[in-house]
């Protein structure tokens, strides 16, 4: 298996430090330069709004300053990934945002609109153009449910239970399940396992494996398309679904190392489809985001030469 060299690591760091957002720089410094975890939270909070939700381009394809459920869920992903303190006020405010904006009636099928109508007034990727929900998806509500259940007050826990029940119904169904649906379901299942929830049994775990395999692309010739690669579902050999995906890991790692640019980044497998200053800047931000995440995963698989 190939390994990321010290020189390649240096080039990636240089690229992120010269081109990345302060949030990615803080994450890199924490992972590789003995930086403080608190710096990650400080940078994350620059994207939080007074309503407790997150916006301001935290999800770089949504440049709307207002809060959205998608950007706010990205904050939960970050909190989980870097083990930030979710008992602090900022996270309680985030849960309150989701509680206040939740629609459990029939108008919004997934409990939250992914983005609001306001998004159409700001630069964005075309897939974030506003449209009404037409079907239930676990993206992003499965992640929100996990946060409600783990960190919420009694009312939020009750909401989390209700959302989880719908997510489990979806998991067991044959409704289309796309890659981001699957990532969100994984987060929920992991939290349910941690909480020893009544929702977890062998049947549910088998359906989770079915959904992962159904979303997975194992053809490396297609990995420059917008498809889910094996390492999109796990972050280390200790991941819950490592054994399920183990046959594909080495090829995925070698693919990453083969297509790493000399300058220290990977090309994105998606674009806005337009060429202007904002779209070019967002692409660079995503390249830094991807480089950070991929090096973090490669290190977890001991495929990085540090010294």
């Amino acid at each position: 298996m190939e390994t990321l060299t010290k020189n390649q690591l240096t080039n990636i760091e240089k690229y992120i430090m010269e081109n990345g957002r302060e949030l990615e720089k803080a994450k890199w410094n924490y992972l590789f330069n003995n930086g403080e975890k608190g710096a990650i939270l400080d940078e994350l909070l620059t994207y939080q709004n007074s309503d407790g939700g997150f916006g301001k381009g935290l999800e770089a394809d949504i440049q709307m300053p207002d809060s959205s459920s998608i950007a706010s869920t990205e904050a939960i992903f970050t909190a989980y990934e870097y083990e930030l303190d979710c008992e602090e006020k900022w996270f309680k405010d985030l849960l309150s945002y989701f509680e206040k904006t939740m629609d459990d009636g029939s108008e919004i099928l997934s409990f939250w609109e992914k983005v609001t109508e306001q998004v159409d007034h700001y630069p964005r990727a075309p897939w974030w153009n506003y449209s009404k929900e037409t079907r239930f998806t676990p993206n992003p509500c499965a992640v929100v449910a996990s946060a409600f259940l783990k960190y919420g007050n009694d009312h939020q826990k009750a909401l989390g239970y209700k959302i989880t029940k719908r997510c489990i119904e979806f998991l067991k169904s044959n409704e289309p399940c796309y890659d981001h649906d699957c990532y969100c379901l994984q987060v929920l299942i992991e939290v349910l396992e941690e909480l020893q929830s009544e929702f977890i049994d062998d049947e549910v775990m088998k359906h989770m494996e079915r959904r992962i395999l159904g979303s997975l692309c194992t053809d490396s010739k297609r990995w420059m398309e917008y498809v889910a690669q094996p390492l999109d579902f796990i972050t280390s050999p200790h991941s819950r679904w490592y054994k399920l995906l183990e046959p594909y890991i080495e090829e995925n790692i070698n693919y990453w190392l083969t297509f790493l640019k000399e300058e220290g980044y990977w090309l994105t497998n998606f674009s806005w489809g337009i060429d202007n200053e904002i779209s070019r800047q967002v692409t660079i931000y995503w390249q830094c985001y991807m480089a950070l995440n991929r090096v973090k995963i490669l290190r977890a698989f001991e495929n990085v030469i540090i010294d």
Side-chain angles (χ1 to χ4, degrees):
M1 191 184 302
E2 296 185 42
T3 302
L4 191 71
T5 68
K6 176 64 175 175
N7 185 59
Q8 288 174 316
L9 187 67
T10 298
N11 289 343
I12 293 170
E13 178 173 44
K14 183 173 184 290
Y15 188 81
I16 291 173
M17 292 304 167
E18 290 181 353
N19 299 286
R21 303 182 300 182
E22 295 303 315
L23 178 57
E24 274 67 58
K25 294 177 188 178
K27 291 176 180 178
W28 183 276
N29 283 330
Y30 172 70
L31 292 171
F32 295 99
N33 295 326
N34 297 313
E36 295 293 328
K37 185 188 294 188
I40 299 175
L41 179 59
D42 289 344
E43 294 302 332
L44 179 63
L45 293 183
T46 65
Y47 297 92
Q48 190 169 32
N49 288 311
S50 59
D51 61 6
F54 283 71
K56 305 176 184 178
L58 178 59
E59 209 290 1
D61 285 332
I62 305 171
Q63 289 294 302
M64 176 177 70
D66 309 70
S67 300
S68 68
S69 67
I70 288 292
S72 299
T73 301
E74 180 63 25
I76 299 176
F77 276 119
T78 302
Y80 285 0
E81 182 176 2
Y82 288 91
E83 298 181 340
L84 304 181
D85 189 349
C86 297
E87 300 293 347
E88 292 184 355
K89 182 179 183 300
W90 75 271
F91 200 84
K92 300 298 184 185
D93 290 344
L94 176 57
L95 294 185
S96 178
Y97 160 78
F98 278 115
E99 182 180 11
K100 288 182 293 186
T101 56
M102 179 177 170
D103 184 338
D104 59 1
S106 60
E107 288 191 19
I108 299 177
L109 300 176
S110 296
F111 299 100
W112 291 272
E113 292 184 302
K114 292 178 174 59
V115 291
T116 64
E117 292 180 82
Q118 194 70 11
V119 75
D120 287 346
H121 299 291
Y122 298 96
R124 65 205 177 279
W127 48 88
W128 290 125
N129 292 341
Y130 179 76
S131 62
K132 290 286 188 180
E133 299 279 347
T134 59
R135 58 184 290 271
F136 174 81
T137 66
N139 176 26
C141 63
V143 178
V144 183
S146 77
F148 276 166
L149 290 173
K150 190 171 181 179
Y151 298 106
N153 57 36
D154 288 345
H155 182 250
Q156 290 164 351
K157 281 182 168 64
L159 296 177
Y161 185 94
K162 178 176 183 176
I163 300 165
T164 297
K165 185 177 179 182
R166 180 66 184 91
C167 288
I168 297 299
E169 290 172 358
F170 176 94
L171 180 69
K172 293 179 177 180
S173 75
N174 290 316
E175 297 178 57
C177 182
Y178 302 109
D179 48 4
H180 289 281
D181 296 324
C182 205
Y183 306 148
C184 292
L185 286 168
Q186 283 183 275
V187 170
L188 176 58
I189 293 299
E190 289 175 359
V191 168
L192 291 175
E193 277 197 299
E194 180 185 342
L195 297 176
Q196 299 181 321
S197 168
E198 64 188 62
F199 284 107
I200 294 297
D201 56 28
D202 289 343
E203 181 189 8
V204 164
M205 299 311 297
K206 283 185 172 60
H207 280 293
M208 188 70 249
E209 292 183 357
R210 173 178 68 91
R211 290 303 201 175
I212 291 172
L213 294 176
S215 301
L216 174 67
C217 176
T218 59
D219 181 0
S220 62
K221 295 183 180 64
R222 295 186 56 212
W223 285 345
M224 268 310 295
E225 302 172 26
Y226 193 74
V227 295
Q229 299 177 28
L231 289 170
D232 290 328
F233 294 102
I234 62 174
T235 57
S236 81
H238 306 293
S239 295
R240 175 67 176 77
W241 290 277
Y242 171 71
K243 285 296 182 184
L244 180 69
L245 300 174
E246 186 177 12
Y248 315 109
I249 299 305
E250 182 173 351
E251 183 178 16
N252 203 173
I253 289 174
N254 289 338
Y255 175 87
W256 282 2
L257 295 174
T258 298
F259 288 96
L260 173 63
K261 293 292 185 180
E262 184 178 354
E263 296 86 351
Y265 66 91
W266 283 270
L267 292 173
T268 61
N269 55 2
F270 56 92
S271 75
W272 286 17
I274 57 174
D275 182 25
N276 59 34
E277 184 177 352
I278 294 176
S279 68
R280 289 192 294 272
Q281 183 61 71
V282 168
T283 295
I284 292 171
Y285 286 158
W286 277 121
Q287 287 170 172
C288 293
Y289 181 95
M290 286 172 55
L292 170 73
N293 288 348
R294 288 186 174 185
V295 174
K296 183 171 179 283
I297 292 171
L298 288 170
R299 186 175 71 168
F301 281 92
E302 300 183 351
N303 282 91
V304 177
I305 298 175
I306 301 294
D307 300 317

